[in-house]
Amino acid sequence: MAKNTQTPTLKILPLGGLHEIGKNTCVFEYDDEILLLDAGLAFPTDDMHGVNVVLPDMTYLRENREKIKGMVVTHGHEDHIGGIAYHLKQFDIPIIYGPRLAMALLRDKLEEAGMLERTNLQTVSPREMVRLGKSFVVEFIRNTHSIADSYCLAIHTPLGVVMHSGDFKIDHTPIDGEFFDLQKVAEYGEKGVLCLLSDSTNAEVPGITPSEASVIPNLDRVFSQAEGRLMVTTFASSVHRVNIILSLAQKHQRKVAVVGRSMLNVIAHARKLGYIKCPDNLFVPLKAARNLPDQQQLILTTGSQGEPLAAMTRISKGEHPQIKIRQGDTVVFSANPIPGNTIAVVNTIDRLMMQGANVIYGKHQGIHVSGHASQEEHKMLLALTRPKFFVPVHGEHRMLVKHSQMAQAQGIPSENIVIVNNGDVIELTGDRIRVAGQVPSGIELVDQAGIVHESTMAERQQMAEDGLVTVAAALSKTGTLLAYPEVHCRGVVMTIQPKLLEELIVRTIENFLTERWS
Amino acid sequence: MAKNTQTPTLKILPLGGLHEIGKNTCVFEYDDEILLLDAGLAFPTDDMHGVNVVLPDMTYLRENREKIKGMVVTHGHEDHIGGIAYHLKQFDIPIIYGPRLAMALLRDKLEEAGMLERTNLQTVSPREMVRLGKSFVVEFIRNTHSIADSYCLAIHTPLGVVMHSGDFKIDHTPIDGEFFDLQKVAEYGEKGVLCLLSDSTNAEVPGITPSEASVIPNLDRVFSQAEGRLMVTTFASSVHRVNIILSLAQKHQRKVAVVGRSMLNVIAHARKLGYIKCPDNLFVPLKAARNLPDQQQLILTTGSQGEPLAAMTRISKGEHPQIKIRQGDTVVFSANPIPGNTIAVVNTIDRLMMQGANVIYGKHQGIHVSGHASQEEHKMLLALTRPKFFVPVHGEHRMLVKHSQMAQAQGIPSENIVIVNNGDVIELTGDRIRVAGQVPSGIELVDQAGIVHESTMAERQQMAEDGLVTVAAALSKTGTLLAYPEVHCRGVVMTIQPKLLEELIVRTIENFLTERWS
Ligand SMILES: [Zn+2]
Ligand SMILES: [Zn+2]
Ligand SMILES: [Zn+2]
Ligand SMILES: [Zn+2]
């Protein structure tokens, strides 16, 4: 990474979020200055035994820590802010700019991790511009997404403006009345955008993602039909959805008991900041809710993805200390399962039904919409920004390819588009984009004790598949057994009696010792 | 299970296949005689470490082995015949009746397991009736499904006729020209059906499952557009689909190299029995295929579900010894991922695309249809059979509930329907159906070494999550350490130096010993 002394060059290094949905982390580097854009986490897949959190490989930032001028945050989802507390343990980020809700959620995380003193959190407003170092000025542009207070970014660099879509859909009837600032986006398009980096999550989905408002009549119908208790689960971070559910609770004269730490946390912040408006007396503690008639209760919980420890999962297993399903309960899943969670979700639904709940779920109900743009919205953003160069981000490989095909159909030449992987170094000059190398990439797995390395993970996997036999044998210096060896089996399938297996192992050791020392 | 001396009673005990898709196994019992209907296996979920195959708990059949008069098989899918070889190791099944293709596939399995001598395989033809014991006569009625040679069964018992749908869709334009024998089904409906047990797999899906023939024009289009090599993956057991792919290969003048053991096996049997008709010279060995021009090659492989060891998965990882993806290759997934496999499948697709393949996949392409009936077909079967009692089978709980709601809408009173779980004992008299108890149910997990018990699985899970530390300490009789203890860590996350951890453990042991003996 020697300093480029010829053509001025902007480097963009996505360390996470490419070829995956999760842990979005992007580095912008110009003239020995680094600007960090988002730093998220991902959740472990089933084969990452005992792992709580997945982070990108941060070697590059550790090694270039002195260049870091600061960070900008697009919105408050875990896949965009969840990594920051971990990274601050390893290097400093002098200042972090972001929207109010994201900064409020981040403050909690940093406080919990004891990292709040390590940086300076600054809230920004729509169309606010902030300077970072000599090279970067960033304008925050309101967009629409499933969480309130979400932004596109216009990053002014010495080479020109790089726009980053953030996570977005184009919702013309947003729940909070905060419209996508399309005028500002168009203004940048008119003045000239050097490069666009854009969310590819739903690039494979034809048409337009329905407005968040479209779920209101459908949830209203479900609420009307519920005769007993009502339990609703959704993503805690889907602030607009939570808002809708609370408004409908009020309309249908149900008191709301909120269950699950992240749900309580998001609602508290969103109310404090005015993203959710409802009277205090809409809420009741869970214990008080139980004294109300069934048709005046609404329990709002986490667990829409069948997460093992979430409230709805424990309720479905009959393991929740306060909430037992009864005949007549209506349970509403106002969320679609993320592909890796499908089995966990349908199992949860089945368990709830078996206990007598009427479970409302699935795409046909119209009670969930995505927070990400579909193809027609992508075309619109490309048309508004008219970028010279294009980098599809925030998506798996198929989605990036589809997004790039759309951009080509709208006139961006294929040589002006790069499909990159985590760790690729994108080099941008005024008239060329290319991948100019690789920095260490991959994942860091975090369990309760710290970072789990790949070799450790492989050992865990092997023990899980085969089990483990330990043999303790005390030997004299001449190689004779001093005592009968101890054999222990864990997770081992035995087709013969354990006692016989043990004897067999002992005899083998004895033979080995005899031969070795004889 | 004392013999019922009063009202004559038929017992139906589903040991597997309820509240799940897989390991369909059903016991019919009347007057000390047992008829077994299908005996399938299921594949392990991600948390069943090292397990190859999942079987139902067969305690009831082991304990009642002398009652078993024989078995009937509906069709040759693994979830219907895959368990038989394992069960024959534990009890005898004097005779097994089934369709030709299922019996051919089963013969292979029994031969491989050395169990062929333990039973008598008998092939049946459409409308053939077989007697088992004094109590049962079974008529085999042709239906349509994704595998050739599939049947509904009419089981004549002293109480009346119980119909079992088998796995079915109603395909009016079947690939093999073998139509669903709706006339025979209607005849039973006219004479009177005591009880219907029916496939619920797609009971949540509105409308009609498209005919298998509907994929032909779409696959034809994909084949026309492929300019380089063509690789196609589907379920080996989807005989009709394989047939279509082979016909289109012939039409587009491509030679077919078949890769993957189960694919080779099913094609061999289906050709021998006439379910697949194509000339010998359509096939070439993989090695010979490589000498043909790219546009004359078609590689037909297993791995449509992203199975770790299947050919397509290994190709995508660049680990297949003979097949490397090249720019210009077209890879076709003519199968939808089963929910638990989604992640494995999309990862496979992404890897193939990254190597330069044009991958054709997904619902919008029209290159896959289900082999199971949707709601309108279920209504039709219920209308044709007009059963007095109804038991939805072959499905997860949600699907059984939906199926039962459809039956009620068609006039079957709710008290004439039971939704049961594996191990439930359904008791049927001429005028009542009820669940009258439970026999042992659950799963038996089989890994390479034999049956894996739950405690073993729990040990494996724990080692996978936490890792394992072993300490070997040689003690004298007076409790002093004879040597420096050996400490080994496997899969353990260490925040301190391994050497330090070891010393800490040793010191702890020494302290423990001192205190214990002092
Ligand atoms: Zn995101
Ligand atoms: Zn987001
Ligand atoms: Zn089946
Ligand atoms: Zn089947």
Side-chain angles (χ1 to χ4, degrees):
Chain A
M1 293 288 122
K3 191 174 162 182
N4 196 322
T5 48
Q6 304 170 307
T7 334
T9 305
L10 173 70
K11 295 202 185 80
I12 306 175
L13 299 89
L15 297 177
L18 271 305
H19 290 154
E20 64 176 340
I21 307 281
K23 63 184 172 63
N24 299 283
T25 308
C26 191
V27 173
F28 290 77
E29 184 170 346
Y30 187 87
D31 208 13
D32 277 347
E33 292 188 333
I34 280 180
L35 162 71
L36 195 54
L37 188 155
D38 289 345
L41 54 73
F43 293 100
T45 54
D46 287 332
D47 55 346
M48 298 179 184
H49 303 294
V51 167
N52 303 321
V53 156
V54 181
L55 297 172
D57 186 320
M58 298 301 266
T59 308
Y60 184 76
L61 282 179
R62 280 194 293 267
E63 289 175 357
N64 292 277
R65 63 184 73 201
E66 78 291 341
K67 296 185 185 172
I68 303 171
K69 297 300 161 197
M71 179 171 183
V72 287
V73 163
T74 59
H75 66 293
H77 275 151
E78 285 286 12
D79 61 325
H80 297 260
I81 65 167
I84 299 173
Y86 297 93
H87 303 323
L88 282 173
K89 292 179 188 172
Q90 306 182 50
F91 48 80
D92 284 325
I93 305 170
I95 191 161
I96 303 178
Y97 292 103
R100 288 199 302 161
L101 182 55
M103 290 298 104
L105 295 169
L106 180 57
R107 180 173 296 275
D108 279 2
K109 283 177 199 295
L110 298 188
E111 206 151 31
E112 198 175 324
M115 292 288 128
L116 194 52
E117 307 306 311
R118 300 286 304 276
T119 187
N120 172 8
L121 300 184
Q122 288 293 329
T123 290
V124 292
S125 302
R127 297 200 178 186
E128 190 170 333
M129 296 184 93
V130 299
R131 168 171 292 281
L132 284 135
K134 297 185 305 293
S135 315
F136 302 107
V137 172
V138 182
E139 178 163 15
F140 287 75
I141 304 165
R142 168 80 69 207
N143 70 17
T144 43
H145 185 40
S146 49
I147 194 170
D149 220 0
S150 176
Y151 287 89
C152 300
L153 304 181
I155 304 164
H156 297 248
T157 77
L159 290 184
V161 173
V162 177
M163 290 200 72
H164 193 292
S165 70
D167 285 9
F168 80 102
K169 65 196 280 188
I170 303 181
D171 190 337
H172 296 298
T173 52
I175 296 300
D176 57 3
E178 297 285 350
F179 296 95
F180 201 138
D181 189 354
L182 298 168
Q183 289 72 20
K184 182 55 78 181
V185 173
E187 187 185 316
Y188 275 104
E190 178 65 22
K191 288 186 197 153
V193 171
L194 179 66
C195 182
L196 171 68
L197 288 81
S198 183
D199 175 6
S200 309
T201 312
N202 281 346
E204 291 185 299
V205 181
I208 279 187
T209 305
S211 169
E212 179 67 24
S214 71
V215 309
I216 298 176
N218 298 315
L219 276 180
D220 193 20
R221 185 194 67 235
V222 170
F223 280 32
S224 308
Q225 289 167 353
E227 287 170 2
R229 290 191 300 179
L230 191 52
M231 302 185 193
V232 185
T233 181
T234 188
F235 296 99
S237 62
S238 293
V239 175
H240 302 313
R241 187 70 46 80
V242 172
N243 210 344
I244 292 172
I245 293 163
L246 294 174
S247 302
L248 286 173
Q250 215 179 336
K251 175 179 170 189
H252 292 276
Q253 292 168 324
R254 289 180 183 261
K255 297 289 180 192
V256 179
V258 181
V259 179
R261 191 170 165 243
S262 59
M263 191 65 86
L264 284 159
N265 191 38
V266 170
I267 291 179
H269 282 297
R271 289 187 72 204
K272 198 161 56 190
L273 299 174
Y275 298 111
I276 290 179
K277 293 190 185 72
C278 58
D280 284 343
N281 72 2
L282 179 64
F283 298 96
V284 285
L286 188 52
K287 282 199 179 149
R290 298 169 68 181
N291 300 326
L292 294 169
D294 283 358
Q295 61 282 19
Q296 288 174 27
Q297 297 179 34
L298 188 154
I299 297 168
L300 176 59
T301 81
T302 52
S304 70
Q305 296 301 304
E307 305 92 326
L309 300 176
M312 187 53 83
T313 312
R314 283 155 60 217
I315 294 170
S316 78
K317 289 180 175 168
E319 289 170 2
H320 196 282
Q322 278 102 43
I323 309 170
K324 307 287 170 206
I325 292 291
R326 295 198 301 264
Q327 200 74 34
D329 288 341
T330 299
V331 180
V332 182
F333 278 70
S334 183
N336 284 346
I338 293 165
N341 300 338
T342 310
I343 300 290
V345 173
V346 296
N347 287 348
T348 303
I349 293 171
D350 277 355
R351 285 191 299 263
L352 291 165
M353 286 176 77
M354 282 185 242
Q355 291 173 50
N358 177 26
V359 187
I360 313 292
Y361 63 93
K363 290 184 185 172
H364 301 299
Q365 298 282 350
I367 55 176
H368 177 71
V369 294
S370 172
H372 295 272
S374 299
Q375 289 178 351
E376 295 306 318
E377 292 153 276
H378 286 303
K379 292 178 192 168
M380 179 56 75
L381 190 70
L382 284 158
L384 285 171
T385 52
R386 294 191 301 197
K388 181 165 183 178
F389 301 110
F390 178 60
V391 184
V393 295
H394 204 289
E396 298 173 12
H397 186 73
R398 308 175 306 292
M399 306 161 188
L400 307 181
V401 169
K402 195 76 207 172
H403 205 174
S404 119
Q405 286 165 353
M406 284 189 277
Q408 288 177 55
Q410 287 180 256
I412 302 178
S414 67
E415 63 270 23
N416 286 14
I417 303 172
V418 289
I419 292 178
V420 294
N421 215 326
N422 295 330
D424 279 348
V425 180
I426 304 169
E427 220 179 62
L428 205 63
T429 64
D431 37 46
R432 199 196 53 201
I433 191 167
R434 66 177 186 122
V435 175
Q438 267 273 334
V439 301
S441 72
I443 55 177
E444 292 179 1
L445 307 171
V446 181
D447 88 349
Q448 281 157 321
I451 289 183
V452 188
H453 294 286
E454 255 175 85
S455 57
T456 308
M457 202 47 64
E459 288 176 356
R460 289 183 179 185
Q461 184 63 35
Q462 206 204 337
M463 289 194 293
E465 284 183 8
D466 302 331
L468 192 86
V469 178
T470 58
V471 181
L475 304 186
S476 72
K477 283 191 179 134
T478 58
T480 55
L481 272 174
L482 289 174
Y484 198 72
E486 285 282 324
V487 176
H488 284 281
C489 295
R490 279 187 73 77
V492 176
V493 174
M494 284 172 275
T495 39
I496 61 171
Q497 293 257 320
K499 199 67 209 159
L500 276 175
L501 180 69
E502 206 172 292
E503 276 172 28
L504 210 68
I505 292 173
V506 172
R507 209 161 319 129
T508 308
I509 295 170
E510 286 172 341
N511 288 342
F512 171 77
L513 291 174
T514 318
E515 280 168 31
R516 184 164 170 194
W517 266 271
S518 64
Chain B
M1 295 285 120
K3 191 172 161 182
N4 195 323
T5 48
Q6 304 169 307
T7 333
T9 305
L10 174 70
K11 295 202 186 79
I12 306 176
L13 299 89
L15 297 177
L18 272 305
H19 292 153
E20 63 175 341
I21 307 279
K23 62 183 172 64
N24 299 283
T25 308
C26 192
V27 173
F28 290 76
E29 186 171 345
Y30 187 89
D31 208 14
D32 277 347
E33 291 188 334
I34 280 179
L35 162 72
L36 195 53
L37 187 155
D38 289 346
L41 56 73
F43 293 101
T45 53
D46 287 332
D47 55 345
M48 299 179 184
H49 303 293
V51 166
N52 303 322
V53 155
V54 181
L55 298 172
D57 186 319
M58 298 300 266
T59 308
Y60 184 77
L61 282 178
R62 281 196 291 267
E63 289 175 355
N64 292 279
R65 64 184 73 202
E66 78 292 340
K67 296 185 184 171
I68 303 170
K69 296 301 159 196
M71 179 171 183
V72 287
V73 164
T74 59
H75 66 292
H77 275 152
E78 285 286 13
D79 60 324
H80 297 261
I81 65 167
I84 300 173
Y86 298 92
H87 303 323
L88 283 173
K89 293 179 186 171
Q90 305 182 51
F91 49 81
D92 285 324
I93 304 170
I95 191 160
I96 303 178
Y97 292 103
R100 287 200 302 161
L101 182 56
M103 291 297 104
L105 295 168
L106 180 57
R107 180 175 296 276
D108 279 3
K109 283 176 197 296
L110 297 187
E111 208 151 28
E112 198 176 322
M115 292 289 127
L116 195 51
E117 307 305 311
R118 300 285 303 277
T119 187
N120 172 8
L121 299 185
Q122 288 293 327
T123 291
V124 291
S125 302
R127 298 199 176 187
E128 191 171 332
M129 296 183 93
V130 301
R131 169 171 289 283
L132 285 134
K134 297 185 307 291
S135 315
F136 302 107
V137 171
V138 182
E139 178 162 16
F140 286 76
I141 304 166
R142 167 80 69 206
N143 71 16
T144 44
H145 185 40
S146 48
I147 193 170
D149 219 0
S150 177
Y151 287 89
C152 300
L153 303 181
I155 304 164
H156 297 247
T157 76
L159 291 183
V161 172
V162 176
M163 289 201 73
H164 193 293
S165 71
D167 285 9
F168 80 103
K169 66 196 280 189
I170 303 182
D171 191 336
H172 295 299
T173 53
I175 297 297
D176 57 3
E178 297 284 352
F179 297 96
F180 201 137
D181 189 355
L182 298 168
Q183 289 71 21
K184 181 55 77 180
V185 173
E187 186 184 317
Y188 276 105
E190 177 66 21
K191 288 187 199 152
V193 171
L194 179 66
C195 181
L196 171 68
L197 288 80
S198 183
D199 175 6
S200 309
T201 311
N202 281 347
E204 291 185 298
V205 181
I208 280 188
T209 305
S211 169
E212 178 68 24
S214 71
V215 308
I216 298 176
N218 298 314
L219 276 179
D220 192 17
R221 184 195 67 235
V222 170
F223 280 32
S224 308
Q225 289 166 353
E227 286 170 3
R229 290 190 302 179
L230 191 51
M231 302 185 195
V232 186
T233 182
T234 188
F235 296 99
S237 63
S238 292
V239 174
H240 303 312
R241 186 69 46 79
V242 171
N243 210 345
I244 291 172
I245 294 163
L246 294 174
S247 302
L248 287 173
Q250 214 180 339
K251 175 179 170 190
H252 292 274
Q253 292 168 324
R254 288 181 184 261
K255 297 289 181 191
V256 179
V258 181
V259 179
R261 189 167 167 246
S262 59
M263 191 66 86
L264 284 158
N265 190 37
V266 169
I267 292 179
H269 281 299
R271 290 186 74 206
K272 199 161 58 190
L273 299 174
Y275 298 110
I276 291 179
K277 293 189 185 74
C278 59
D280 284 342
N281 71 3
L282 179 65
F283 297 96
V284 285
L286 187 52
K287 282 198 179 150
R290 299 170 67 180
N291 301 325
L292 294 170
D294 283 359
Q295 61 280 20
Q296 288 174 27
Q297 298 179 32
L298 188 153
I299 298 168
L300 177 59
T301 81
T302 52
S304 69
Q305 296 301 304
E307 305 93 324
L309 300 176
M312 187 53 82
T313 312
R314 282 154 61 215
I315 293 169
S316 78
K317 290 182 173 166
E319 290 170 1
H320 195 281
Q322 277 103 43
I323 308 171
K324 306 287 170 206
I325 291 290
R326 294 198 303 263
Q327 201 74 34
D329 288 341
T330 300
V331 180
V332 183
F333 278 71
S334 183
N336 284 346
I338 293 165
N341 301 337
T342 309
I343 300 290
V345 172
V346 297
N347 287 347
T348 304
I349 292 170
D350 277 354
R351 284 192 299 263
L352 291 164
M353 286 176 76
M354 282 185 243
Q355 291 174 51
N358 178 26
V359 186
I360 313 291
Y361 63 93
K363 289 186 184 169
H364 302 296
Q365 298 281 351
I367 55 177
H368 177 71
V369 294
S370 172
H372 295 272
S374 300
Q375 290 178 352
E376 295 305 318
E377 293 153 275
H378 286 304
K379 292 177 191 168
M380 179 54 76
L381 190 69
L382 284 159
L384 284 171
T385 52
R386 295 191 299 198
K388 181 165 184 180
F389 300 111
F390 178 59
V391 184
V393 295
H394 204 289
E396 297 172 14
H397 187 72
R398 308 175 306 293
M399 306 162 189
L400 306 181
V401 169
K402 196 75 208 172
H403 205 172
S404 118
Q405 286 165 351
M406 284 190 276
Q408 288 176 55
Q410 287 181 258
I412 302 178
S414 66
E415 62 269 22
N416 285 14
I417 302 173
V418 288
I419 292 179
V420 294
N421 214 327
N422 296 331
D424 280 347
V425 180
I426 304 169
E427 220 180 63
L428 206 63
T429 64
D431 38 44
R432 198 197 54 202
I433 190 166
R434 66 178 187 121
V435 175
Q438 266 274 335
V439 301
S441 72
I443 55 179
E444 292 179 2
L445 308 171
V446 181
D447 90 347
Q448 281 157 322
I451 290 183
V452 187
H453 294 286
E454 255 174 86
S455 57
T456 307
M457 201 48 65
E459 288 177 356
R460 289 183 178 184
Q461 184 63 34
Q462 207 205 336
M463 289 194 292
E465 285 183 8
D466 302 332
L468 193 86
V469 179
T470 58
V471 182
L475 303 186
S476 72
K477 281 190 181 135
T478 58
T480 55
L481 273 174
L482 290 175
Y484 198 74
E486 285 281 326
V487 176
H488 284 281
C489 295
R490 280 187 72 78
V492 175
V493 173
M494 283 173 275
T495 38
I496 60 171
Q497 294 256 320
K499 198 66 209 161
L500 277 174
L501 180 70
E502 207 172 290
E503 273 171 32
L504 211 69
I505 291 171
V506 170
R507 206 155 330 125
T508 308
I509 294 169
E510 285 172 342
N511 288 344
F512 173 76
L513 291 174
T514 317
E515 280 169 31
R516 183 163 172 193
W517 265 273
S518 64

